[in-house]
Amino acid sequence: MYHKEKSIQTKNSASALYNNLGVLRIAPRRLTYFAVVHANVVNMVSASWDGLDYSHRQLQSKEPNVATSTSLVTQAAFCVLPSRDLLVVTSQKGIQIYESDGSIMVYWHALETPDTPTDKAVFARGISAVWESYICVGVSSGSILVFDVPSKGSNITLSEVLEEHTESITDMASECSGSQECIADLVSADDGGNLCVWKSGEEFQLLNKIHGFDMSCSSVKLWKGTVVAGYGTGQIRLYEAVTGILHAEVNAHARWIYSLDIAPFSGLLLSAAEDSLVRVWHLNLTPESNSVEVAHLHNECVTDTQICGAKFCDSDGYAFAVTGYDLSEIIRYTQS
Amino acid sequence: MSSRTLPLLFINLGGEMLYILDQRLRAQNIPADKAKKVMNDIITTMFNKKFLEELFKPQELYSKKALRTVFDRLAHASIMRLNQASMDKLYDLMTMAFKYQVLLCPRPKDILLVSFNHMDAIKDFVKDTPSILSQVDETYQQLIEMYSSLCSGEFQLIRQTLLIFFQDMHIRVSIFLKDKVQNSNGRFVLPTSGPVPHGTQVPGLIRMFSCAGEETNRLQFTNGGNYTAAVREGSFEIFGDRVTKLGTNMYSVSRPVETHMSGTSKNSAQHTKVNAAPNPLAKEELNLLAKLMGGLEVQKPGNTDSGFRVNLFSTDEEEEEALISRPDELAYGVINIQATKDQQANAELTKIMGEFTESGDQSPSSSKGDDLLAMMDGL
C-alpha cells in the first residue's frame, strides 16, 4: 500500500518525546516544512516537493537568563489558523511562538518555575490550534493555556487558563474534519488517561470528561466528533466526544504509543509506537447508526527503532513521515 | 526534565560499574581480601548517607561531564587505581549497559525493577558487612518511598529524560555484539517478538461497540511481529523475584569486557556538540560534588603497600593504545581531581571550581543565597 521514499537527513537525532514530528504543507510554494525536537533544539527542514531543495534551520529553547541550566524542548508543532500559520515550541521554561518558517519569534510566555526544583517537573506540552484564532497549550500541572492570536503581528494574549485536568497534559487536538457542524472543538489528554472535550469561545466550555483507566494517554486526535486516543498500553480507543460512548477498542501496539495522526479527507489513521511499528487504519463513521468501523490497512516496521513521531504529509494520507529515537532522519512513505 | 531521574541513573550506573570491576578483579587474580576491600570501599562511598540525601533531592540531571567526574571519584574510593584509558572504557561500558536496559524495558516502570536487580546484587556483594548492608537497605526504602506511587506517565518522563542523556551514544560493546543484542553500527536490536509488557494485550484485535455498550463486531489483523502474552509482574518490594533479567550481572570471568572504538565516530560526533554547554557546571552539580569530595577519606595514590592498578584491557599495551587512539568526539573531558584530606575544604572547592571553569568564562550563577558559590567568589 505504501513504499519507502528517500529519507530527509536532519542535523541531530530525534529525542524520545511524544508526537515528535511537526509537518506543514505549503501548497502555493510546493514546499513541506518538518520540525523535529532534539533535546533543547528544534530541527526544521524545508523540503521542496520535487525533492531537489532542502534547507535546514535550528531553533534553540529560550533561556530566561544565561546562568540557568538548559531548558529541554518537549514538543514542536505547527498551528494552522485561517489567517496565519505558526510554529509553537514548548519547553521546560515556557512557550515560544514563531512564524511558521522559524525565522522570527513572535511571542514568548514564561512558565512559573520554582526557584528550587520540586518533586513534580514543570514544563509545557500539548499544542493545538483551535478554531478561528486560538492556540491552546498544556502544562505539566494540568492547566491549559488559551492564547488569543490576532490575524497578524505579535499581539498574542493569554485569554484564559482552563483548570480541569489534575495530571500533566500529554497532548491536545482540535476538530480536524473542517466541518462546521461539530459541537466539540478541542480534546485534551493527560497522564492519567483522562480526556476533556471543549467548545471554544471567549470562554471555553467543558462539554465532557472521559475518565481514564490509570494509564497515560500520550496522543489524541479529534475527527468528526470522534476522539481517537492512544495509550501507554499500546491500545487505541475511539470515543464519541460529546457523550463519551466507547465506539471501538484496538489492541494496536505491543508498546507505548507515541503518535497518532488522521488524514481528514480520507479517514485514514496513523499510529506509531515504541514497538518499531507504524500502522495505517481506516475509520468509517456512520452517523445514522452512530457507529464507527475500524479497519487495519497496513504495517511498516522501522527496524530497531522506537518511533516517536508519525504524521501524514497531506489531508488525503497519500504520504506520511516518521521519526525515531536516535535516528537522524525523517523517513517518508508514499502510497504505491 | 523529570526531577527524579538522578537517583536511578546513579544507582544503575554504579551497579554496572561494580559488575565490571568485580569481573576485572577476578580476571586479574587480585587477592580476595584486596578485591573485597575495593568492593566494600566503593559501595560504602556510593551509599554515603549525606551523598544519597543530596542525590534524592528533586533536581535536573547532571551534565555528562559532572556525572563522569562523580564516577571517577567513586572508582578511586579505594586502593584500586585505573588509568585514563581504563576509566574511559569502564564508563563506556556502564553507560551503554544502562542505555540498553532503559531501551529494552517493556514498560517505563520496569526501570525500577532493573534498579532493584542492581540493588539486589550490591546487597549480595556486601552481605557479610552489616554496617554497609544497613545503608543499602535504607536505600531500598528511599527508592520505594520515592517511586512506588508514581503513575505510568511520570515513569515515562523519567525514561525520556534518561534517553535524552544517552542520546547518540552508539559505542559497540563486545559482549552485546556477541549476544546479538547490538548491531555492528552500535544500535541495539529491538525485537518485535516475545512477551508483551504487563498490562498490554497482544496486538491484533479490533473490537467495535454499539451505543449501548454491546460488542457488535470483532476483527483480527496481522501484527507484523511474533508476540506472546505478558509474563507475571516482577516484585517492587525490598525482597522478591524481579522476573526481568535486565540489570542482572551479565559478566563472568569467561566473558571479558571489551569495547570497540573504531567506526563509532560518525554518529557520536553529534552528541558532544549538544552537551558541551558553554556554561560552567550548574550550582547543584557543584554542591553534590563538594559534598562527595569534601568529607570523604581519600586513599593517597602513592601508597604502594596495598595499592594496585586494574586494567580494563587484556594487556598494558592495549590500554596505552586505546588512550592514544580514542576518537576526539568520545573524550569525556574529565579533569583529574587530586583532593586529599589535608587541604582545607574551601581550598579544595576553589581547586574544583578553578578546574571546571572553562577558559576564562566568568564565574557562574548570580542567583541569590548561593552559599557555595559565594564562598568561592570570596576566596
Side-chain angles (χ1 to χ4, degrees), chain A residues 13-14 118 247 306 325-326, chain B residues 3 99 159 163 167-168 209:
Chain A
S13 56
T118 51
H247 282 309
Q306 299 204 334
Y325 169 66
D326 257 356
Chain B
S3 55
K99 179 174 183 176
R159 184 172 174 279
L163 288 178
Q167 191 124 11
D168 301 320
F209 305 93

Side-chain angles (χ1 to χ4, degrees), chain A residues 89-105:
Chain A
V89 177
T90 50
S91 68
Q92 290 179 281
K93 292 289 187 313
I95 301 151
Q96 293 157 264
I97 303 182
Y98 292 86
E99 294 294 355
S100 61
D101 63 357
S103 56
I104 312 164
M105 183 164 83

Side-chain angles (χ1 to χ4, degrees), chain B residues 25 30-31 33-35 37-38 41 78-81 299-310:
Chain B
L25 289 167
I30 303 292
D33 61 324
K34 281 195 181 176
K37 175 156 172 53
V38 171
D41 284 349
S78 185
I79 52 180
M80 177 189 73
R81 283 288 159 268
Q299 301 291 336
K300 281 201 160 70
N303 188 351
T304 48
D305 228 25
S306 51
F308 60 91
R309 195 171 63 80
V310 162

Side-chain angles (χ1 to χ4, degrees), chain B residues 24 83 122 131 154 170 190 194 196 201 209 220 240 274-275 295:
Chain B
R24 293 313 294 164
N83 283 347
I122 292 169
S131 53
E154 283 169 303
H170 301 296
L190 300 181
V196 290
Q201 303 296 317
F209 305 93
Q220 292 278 357
V274 179
N275 289 301

